[in-house]
Amino acid sequence: MHCGGSSAVLGIQNETSYSVLLGYSALAATLGSATNATSFRDRRDYLTSYNVSVAVGDVNNDGIPDLVLCGGSGALVEFGNGDGTFTTGPEYLTGFVVYTPILADINGDGKLDLIMSFYSGVLPFSSGLAVGFGNGDGTFRSPVTYDAGTDPSAQTLVLGDFNHDQLPDAAILGEDGVWIFLGEGNRVFAGSLFPSHRPCMGASLS
């Protein structure tokens, strides 16, 4: 089985060990040994069609890290059991391709929200930022979207406080430049700003 795509490293057991999680045609969880930092236990695979990217966070507030797998039609929640295994949770259908998911509490209610870069291949084509506010039980509200033109390469998403107003902002990188979304509080972002018309091929926001 080929496991390309995105990856994450985190502790998914209630012990001092770590696990590596990869998403492509399947999710593969490899449990690190608590006694030998350079060894891993047998891999456990979870077949899934949500194979573009993965985010990690406790979306149901039980103190155990969960996974949000993203792909062609939205996202799928995999609830962590605390022992290195996962239980499939609800789907989150968005109607567009989700590229980069980030879990963060952007409205300050103590529940993780799902922030995503997306591309819609349905006419009229569109790219942008989408926010699904978390309900605290592993489900998310219908996404609120913010336009970023029609560039299908606008996929790389980061969050940060770019204007030092103590509110989260977002940036999406594509071939045409960087789109900036300034947070206004009250769960909303300002209209996107397109600061550069020069191609950014090979650039990185990391």
Side-chain angles (χ1 to χ4, degrees), residues 4 20-21 29 38 50 53 62 79 87 101 104 137 154 164 190 197:
V20 180
L21 305 156
T38 61
Y50 293 90
S53 51
D62 64 353
F79 292 118
T87 299
D137 58 0
H164 298 289
H197 292 278

PDB file of all heavy atoms in Angstrom, residues 4 20-21 29 38 50 53 62 79 87 101 104 137 154 164 190 197:
ATOM      1  N   GLY A   4       1.292   8.052   0.643  1.00  0.00           N
ATOM      2  CA  GLY A   4       1.871   9.373   0.458  1.00  0.00           C
ATOM      3  C   GLY A   4       0.994  10.377   1.160  1.00  0.00           C
ATOM      4  O   GLY A   4       0.376  10.092   2.161  1.00  0.00           O
ATOM      5  N   VAL A  20       3.086   7.871  14.287  1.00  0.00           N
ATOM      6  CA  VAL A  20       3.167   8.541  13.001  1.00  0.00           C
ATOM      7  C   VAL A  20       1.940   8.170  12.202  1.00  0.00           C
ATOM      8  O   VAL A  20       1.606   6.993  12.078  1.00  0.00           O
ATOM      9  CB  VAL A  20       4.443   8.120  12.237  1.00  0.00           C
ATOM     10  CG1 VAL A  20       4.518   8.834  10.901  1.00  0.00           C
ATOM     11  CG2 VAL A  20       5.673   8.406  13.076  1.00  0.00           C
ATOM     12  N   LEU A  21       1.262   9.163  11.644  1.00  0.00           N
ATOM     13  CA  LEU A  21       0.017   8.937  10.934  1.00  0.00           C
ATOM     14  C   LEU A  21       0.145   9.473   9.518  1.00  0.00           C
ATOM     15  O   LEU A  21       0.526  10.632   9.331  1.00  0.00           O
ATOM     16  CB  LEU A  21      -1.135   9.640  11.656  1.00  0.00           C
ATOM     17  CG  LEU A  21      -1.244   9.234  13.127  1.00  0.00           C
ATOM     18  CD1 LEU A  21      -1.936  10.314  13.926  1.00  0.00           C
ATOM     19  CD2 LEU A  21      -1.986   7.931  13.247  1.00  0.00           C
ATOM     20  N   ALA A  29      -1.448   4.017  11.077  1.00  0.00           N
ATOM     21  CA  ALA A  29      -1.021   4.429  12.403  1.00  0.00           C
ATOM     22  C   ALA A  29       0.067   3.477  12.877  1.00  0.00           C
ATOM     23  O   ALA A  29      -0.153   2.271  12.986  1.00  0.00           O
ATOM     24  CB  ALA A  29      -2.190   4.406  13.380  1.00  0.00           C
ATOM     25  N   THR A  38      13.445   4.426  19.024  1.00  0.00           N
ATOM     26  CA  THR A  38      13.754   4.225  17.615  1.00  0.00           C
ATOM     27  C   THR A  38      13.003   3.050  17.013  1.00  0.00           C
ATOM     28  O   THR A  38      13.243   2.696  15.865  1.00  0.00           O
ATOM     29  CB  THR A  38      15.268   3.987  17.435  1.00  0.00           C
ATOM     30  OG1 THR A  38      15.653   2.815  18.145  1.00  0.00           O
ATOM     31  CG2 THR A  38      16.063   5.181  17.948  1.00  0.00           C
ATOM     32  N   TYR A  50     -10.956   9.701   2.194  1.00  0.00           N
ATOM     33  CA  TYR A  50     -10.553  11.058   2.571  1.00  0.00           C
ATOM     34  C   TYR A  50      -9.032  11.049   2.710  1.00  0.00           C
ATOM     35  O   TYR A  50      -8.486  10.839   3.790  1.00  0.00           O
ATOM     36  CB  TYR A  50     -11.236  11.470   3.872  1.00  0.00           C
ATOM     37  CG  TYR A  50     -12.740  11.611   3.721  1.00  0.00           C
ATOM     38  CD1 TYR A  50     -13.591  10.527   3.941  1.00  0.00           C
ATOM     39  CD2 TYR A  50     -13.294  12.815   3.317  1.00  0.00           C
ATOM     40  CE1 TYR A  50     -14.960  10.650   3.778  1.00  0.00           C
ATOM     41  CE2 TYR A  50     -14.673  12.951   3.152  1.00  0.00           C
ATOM     42  CZ  TYR A  50     -15.493  11.867   3.387  1.00  0.00           C
ATOM     43  OH  TYR A  50     -16.847  11.998   3.208  1.00  0.00           O
ATOM     44  N   SER A  53      -5.332  15.111   3.162  1.00  0.00           N
ATOM     45  CA  SER A  53      -4.582  15.684   4.276  1.00  0.00           C
ATOM     46  C   SER A  53      -5.237  15.299   5.587  1.00  0.00           C
ATOM     47  O   SER A  53      -6.365  14.799   5.618  1.00  0.00           O
ATOM     48  CB  SER A  53      -4.491  17.209   4.136  1.00  0.00           C
ATOM     49  OG  SER A  53      -5.778  17.767   3.920  1.00  0.00           O
ATOM     50  N   ASP A  62     -12.818  15.070  24.905  1.00  0.00           N
ATOM     51  CA  ASP A  62     -12.680  13.973  25.867  1.00  0.00           C
ATOM     52  C   ASP A  62     -11.240  13.806  26.330  1.00  0.00           C
ATOM     53  O   ASP A  62     -10.919  12.847  27.032  1.00  0.00           O
ATOM     54  CB  ASP A  62     -13.208  12.668  25.276  1.00  0.00           C
ATOM     55  CG  ASP A  62     -12.412  12.187  24.071  1.00  0.00           C
ATOM     56  OD1 ASP A  62     -11.518  12.928  23.599  1.00  0.00           O
ATOM     57  OD2 ASP A  62     -12.696  11.073  23.588  1.00  0.00           O
ATOM     58  N   PHE A  79     -12.363   9.300  15.781  1.00  0.00           N
ATOM     59  CA  PHE A  79     -12.221   9.567  17.202  1.00  0.00           C
ATOM     60  C   PHE A  79     -11.122   8.682  17.791  1.00  0.00           C
ATOM     61  O   PHE A  79     -11.114   7.459  17.609  1.00  0.00           O
ATOM     62  CB  PHE A  79     -13.527   9.299  17.946  1.00  0.00           C
ATOM     63  CG  PHE A  79     -14.629  10.268  17.619  1.00  0.00           C
ATOM     64  CD1 PHE A  79     -15.799   9.836  17.038  1.00  0.00           C
ATOM     65  CD2 PHE A  79     -14.481  11.616  17.895  1.00  0.00           C
ATOM     66  CE1 PHE A  79     -16.822  10.725  16.742  1.00  0.00           C
ATOM     67  CE2 PHE A  79     -15.488  12.524  17.601  1.00  0.00           C
ATOM     68  CZ  PHE A  79     -16.666  12.075  17.018  1.00  0.00           C
ATOM     69  N   THR A  87     -11.980   5.186  16.191  1.00  0.00           N
ATOM     70  CA  THR A  87     -13.336   4.810  15.831  1.00  0.00           C
ATOM     71  C   THR A  87     -13.874   5.821  14.849  1.00  0.00           C
ATOM     72  O   THR A  87     -13.838   7.036  15.108  1.00  0.00           O
ATOM     73  CB  THR A  87     -14.244   4.770  17.072  1.00  0.00           C
ATOM     74  OG1 THR A  87     -13.746   3.787  17.997  1.00  0.00           O
ATOM     75  CG2 THR A  87     -15.674   4.425  16.686  1.00  0.00           C
ATOM     76  N   PRO A 101      -6.327  21.275   6.177  1.00  0.00           N
ATOM     77  CA  PRO A 101      -7.186  21.507   7.336  1.00  0.00           C
ATOM     78  C   PRO A 101      -6.348  21.919   8.554  1.00  0.00           C
ATOM     79  O   PRO A 101      -5.246  21.421   8.762  1.00  0.00           O
ATOM     80  CB  PRO A 101      -7.813  20.134   7.565  1.00  0.00           C
ATOM     81  CG  PRO A 101      -6.729  19.171   7.152  1.00  0.00           C
ATOM     82  CD  PRO A 101      -5.916  19.851   6.070  1.00  0.00           C
ATOM     83  N   ALA A 104      -8.387  24.665  15.211  1.00  0.00           N
ATOM     84  CA  ALA A 104      -8.059  25.728  16.158  1.00  0.00           C
ATOM     85  C   ALA A 104      -9.362  26.344  16.653  1.00  0.00           C
ATOM     86  O   ALA A 104     -10.371  26.343  15.940  1.00  0.00           O
ATOM     87  CB  ALA A 104      -7.183  26.799  15.508  1.00  0.00           C
ATOM     88  N   ASP A 137     -18.554  18.119  19.816  1.00  0.00           N
ATOM     89  CA  ASP A 137     -18.877  16.690  19.871  1.00  0.00           C
ATOM     90  C   ASP A 137     -18.345  15.938  18.655  1.00  0.00           C
ATOM     91  O   ASP A 137     -18.758  14.816  18.390  1.00  0.00           O
ATOM     92  CB  ASP A 137     -20.390  16.497  19.976  1.00  0.00           C
ATOM     93  CG  ASP A 137     -21.161  17.124  18.811  1.00  0.00           C
ATOM     94  OD1 ASP A 137     -20.518  17.717  17.911  1.00  0.00           O
ATOM     95  OD2 ASP A 137     -22.399  17.012  18.791  1.00  0.00           O
ATOM     96  N   ALA A 154      -4.071  27.291  -4.930  1.00  0.00           N
ATOM     97  CA  ALA A 154      -4.149  27.998  -3.645  1.00  0.00           C
ATOM     98  C   ALA A 154      -4.557  27.002  -2.568  1.00  0.00           C
ATOM     99  O   ALA A 154      -5.731  26.886  -2.219  1.00  0.00           O
ATOM    100  CB  ALA A 154      -5.132  29.160  -3.723  1.00  0.00           C
ATOM    101  N   HIS A 164      -1.257  41.959  14.637  1.00  0.00           N
ATOM    102  CA  HIS A 164      -1.084  42.190  16.077  1.00  0.00           C
ATOM    103  C   HIS A 164      -2.318  42.787  16.742  1.00  0.00           C
ATOM    104  O   HIS A 164      -2.214  43.666  17.600  1.00  0.00           O
ATOM    105  CB  HIS A 164       0.123  43.115  16.322  1.00  0.00           C
ATOM    106  CG  HIS A 164       1.424  42.534  15.853  1.00  0.00           C
ATOM    107  ND1 HIS A 164       2.053  41.486  16.484  1.00  0.00           N
ATOM    108  CD2 HIS A 164       2.208  42.851  14.784  1.00  0.00           C
ATOM    109  CE1 HIS A 164       3.174  41.186  15.850  1.00  0.00           C
ATOM    110  NE2 HIS A 164       3.297  41.992  14.799  1.00  0.00           N
ATOM    111  N   ALA A 190     -12.187  39.379   7.353  1.00  0.00           N
ATOM    112  CA  ALA A 190     -12.388  40.460   6.391  1.00  0.00           C
ATOM    113  C   ALA A 190     -12.196  39.912   4.984  1.00  0.00           C
ATOM    114  O   ALA A 190     -11.666  38.822   4.786  1.00  0.00           O
ATOM    115  CB  ALA A 190     -11.409  41.600   6.670  1.00  0.00           C
ATOM    116  N   HIS A 197       0.950  40.137  -7.573  1.00  0.00           N
ATOM    117  CA  HIS A 197       0.538  39.532  -8.829  1.00  0.00           C
ATOM    118  C   HIS A 197       1.677  38.757  -9.462  1.00  0.00           C
ATOM    119  O   HIS A 197       1.556  38.275 -10.575  1.00  0.00           O
ATOM    120  CB  HIS A 197       0.045  40.602  -9.807  1.00  0.00           C
ATOM    121  CG  HIS A 197      -1.233  41.234  -9.365  1.00  0.00           C
ATOM    122  ND1 HIS A 197      -2.464  40.652  -9.584  1.00  0.00           N
ATOM    123  CD2 HIS A 197      -1.465  42.379  -8.686  1.00  0.00           C
ATOM    124  CE1 HIS A 197      -3.414  41.427  -9.085  1.00  0.00           C
ATOM    125  NE2 HIS A 197      -2.839  42.476  -8.528  1.00  0.00           N
TER     126      HIS A 197
END
